[in-house]
Amino acid sequence: MTTTDRAATATPARVGGTRPLLAVDDLGVQFRLRDATVRAVGDLSLTVRAGELVAVVGESGCGKSVLAHALLGLLPRNATITGHAVLHHPGTEPVDLITCGQRELARTVRGQRVGLVPQSPATALNPVRTGRRLLAETLRAHGRDRAEADRLAVDVGLDPADLDRYPHELSGGMAQRLVTALALAPDPSLLIADEPTTGLDRPLVDHTLDLLRRRCDAGAAVVLITHDLAAARRVADSVAVMYASRIVEHREADTLYTAPAHPYASALLDALPDRAFRPVPGDPPMLTALPAGCAFAPRCPRRTDRCADRPSPTPVADGGTVACHHPIHAGAAP
């Protein structure tokens, strides 16, 4: 799907005044260790509307996967979560995913209203059940015909015959496609896909991305967590760039890739092979020792004394936000 095609089909995501399917407000996640505190997600706000595909990108360890697990209550006991994440599911009362409790998440949210494609399929699959049995059980649990298993396999690019294998008999890419099929089986209104193209060759990467795009074009929503910037540009309506636990820029995909405002977003794009192919200089800070000010300042050529204060997300003219005291493009921030 080309950029022009995406713009033509993705208009539901940009209809002003529509209620967001998911509204994340001031989300924070900390892990308490014996001698330190890991601040994995901080002050994060994000809105996802029906029909929209939002890509969350950034270097490894910035908090992308923690965000996904926090929304579904899948974090360990040493996690402390603050803020709100309200899910507006059609035909049901809104539910705050952060405060509703594990019982409600397990009974009415996970695998029903919200599906998850996990980053590590090997740990998500029952080793003593074939793929067909796993899919059949999932379909039956949600009132759907078990005969749909073969169709789901084809949808994700998996040979239906491979459903009769056990997880240990599947390659990494085949297991990835199976967990994608399992996440899609209940037909959730929101799908969180955490690195869903891991282990796939390029044609299957494109196949999976187009599948996610089609779901959004049919009215569902997708949060795509990925390190693949080219993949994000291919299908996303908007891109949220995370750095050191926070979203530093969130803009429409075409605008961000053409004219990034945050120096980190610009450096990340310059690392692409079809651009400068230049690595981002320096290293990100440890999440156990985040600075009080701008976390990117030590790596940023635009830093000044003002960067000792943490920048807040500021609206920009195109409707996105950027958290930077010195955005690259004049007029990017008021």
Side-chain angles (χ1 to χ4, degrees):
M1 180 177 290
T2 66
T3 300
T4 302
D5 293 337
R6 186 181 67 245
T9 59
T11 51
R14 299 170 185 170
V15 176
T18 59
R19 173 184 288 181
L21 182 63
L22 176 68
V24 182
D25 183 36
D26 202 22
L27 181 67
V29 179
Q30 297 184 1
F31 297 100
R32 297 190 180 278
L33 307 180
R34 179 172 299 177
D35 55 356
T37 297
V38 179
R39 294 174 172 83
V41 175
D43 309 323
L44 188 146
S45 296
L46 186 69
T47 297
V48 184
R49 302 183 185 278
E52 184 177 19
L53 195 154
V54 177
V56 181
V57 304
E59 292 170 289
S60 297
C62 69
K64 304 187 301 294
S65 293
V66 174
L67 166 63
H69 293 169
L71 294 176
L72 289 172
L74 297 175
L75 295 177
R77 291 184 178 181
N78 67 331
T80 300
I81 310 173
T82 57
H84 301 278
V86 179
L87 179 69
H88 297 272
H89 188 271
T92 63
E93 289 295 318
V95 57
D96 190 332
L97 303 178
I98 306 304
T99 63
C100 69
Q102 284 293 328
R103 183 178 178 85
E104 185 169 0
L105 284 172
R107 295 183 63 182
T108 67
V109 176
R110 286 197 292 257
Q112 299 183 58
R113 306 184 198 184
V114 183
L116 173 67
V117 180
Q119 185 176 12
S120 301
T123 61
L125 297 172
N126 189 323
V128 298
R129 284 177 169 79
T130 65
R132 185 174 301 282
R133 183 173 175 185
L134 288 169
L135 262 179
E137 289 175 348
T138 302
L139 288 164
R140 183 174 63 249
H142 296 282
R144 303 185 66 185
D145 191 341
R146 291 181 296 174
E148 292 188 55
D150 282 3
R151 180 189 61 78
L152 281 167
V154 172
D155 283 349
V156 300
L158 191 65
D159 187 335
D162 290 326
L163 292 179
D164 296 314
R165 300 186 182 190
Y166 289 92
H168 73 274
E169 298 176 307
L170 302 175
S171 68
M174 293 163 68
Q176 185 67 57
R177 282 171 276 166
L178 176 58
V179 295
T180 300
L182 289 166
L184 294 175
D187 194 24
S189 58
L190 173 64
L191 181 69
I192 301 174
D194 190 0
E195 302 286 3
T197 58
T198 300
L200 304 183
D201 57 24
R202 195 71 235 179
L204 282 171
V205 168
D206 293 341
H207 180 97
T208 300
L209 294 173
D210 290 343
L211 172 65
L212 299 180
R213 181 67 256 174
R214 289 196 299 273
R215 284 194 63 79
C216 293
D217 296 341
V222 172
V223 175
L224 170 64
I225 295 173
T226 182
H227 67 278
D228 189 339
L229 295 170
R233 184 172 194 180
R234 176 183 172 87
V235 294
D237 296 303
S238 68
V239 177
V241 181
M242 282 192 75
Y243 182 77
S245 82
R246 294 183 173 88
I247 291 178
V248 296
E249 184 168 359
H250 185 191
R251 319 227 341 255
E252 288 193 358
D254 292 340
T255 304
L256 186 141
Y257 278 79
T258 303
H262 197 284
Y264 173 65
S266 178
L268 205 59
L269 292 172
D270 279 345
L272 290 172
D274 61 347
R275 298 204 180 189
F277 204 28
R278 180 175 59 242
V280 183
D283 296 303
M286 297 290 291
L287 296 182
T288 54
L290 290 175
C294 175
F296 188 62
R299 308 172 73 182
C300 183
R302 302 173 68 86
R303 65 182 178 273
T304 66
D305 291 344
R306 190 180 178 192
C307 300
D309 296 324
R310 181 186 303 167
S312 299
T314 303
V316 293
D318 59 25
T321 60
V322 59
C324 182
H325 293 304
H326 309 291
I328 294 173
H329 297 282

